[in-house]
Amino acid sequence: MKKAISFLKDVFSAILKAPAENAITRKEAFDANDNFFLILYGDLLGIPNPVSYYTLELLPYLAPEIEGWERRIQNRGSVIEEKAAQFNF
């Protein structure tokens, strides 16, 4: 009986935690993707990129995602503010 209660407790705990963990994972994936695009196509935002000639080869494959990336980057308030919000100061 103890094993069954422990099992149910683990199942309900996982069900309750899943949406929050998915949101965090999704945010981290978007951040990683945004940083990748910033390295490749920062020149679109005015950041000089000395290897932009070579990154143009990836443009046909990544073009559909650039509009969303530009929108997310422009809507950010401050990167420092976002990173500080992760910690409880």
Side-chain angles (χ1 to χ4, degrees):
M1 185 69 179
K2 264 188 162 179
K3 286 185 178 182
I5 291 174
S6 176
F7 175 75
L8 288 174
K9 184 179 175 183
D10 290 342
V11 168
F12 285 118
S13 176
I15 289 172
L16 294 175
K17 289 179 182 177
E21 290 176 355
N22 285 342
I24 292 170
T25 304
R26 185 178 166 92
K27 171 90 170 90
E28 289 175 355
F30 272 120
D31 286 347
N33 195 26
D34 289 348
N35 292 337
F36 175 69
F37 271 91
L38 186 62
I39 290 170
L40 290 180
Y41 301 110
D43 52 346
L44 294 175
L45 298 175
I47 301 169
N49 186 0
V51 293
S52 63
Y53 176 76
Y54 299 107
T55 60
L56 288 177
E57 292 181 10
L58 296 173
L59 188 58
Y61 304 105
L62 301 174
E65 298 179 32
I66 286 182
E67 184 180 344
W69 167 69
E70 285 180 328
R71 194 174 335 114
R72 285 192 302 272
I73 290 293
Q74 291 171 353
N75 287 338
R76 281 186 174 177
S78 168
V79 174
I80 296 172
E81 185 178 313
E82 283 183 17
K83 294 299 177 188
Q86 293 176 352
F87 304 103
N88 293 326
F89 290 117

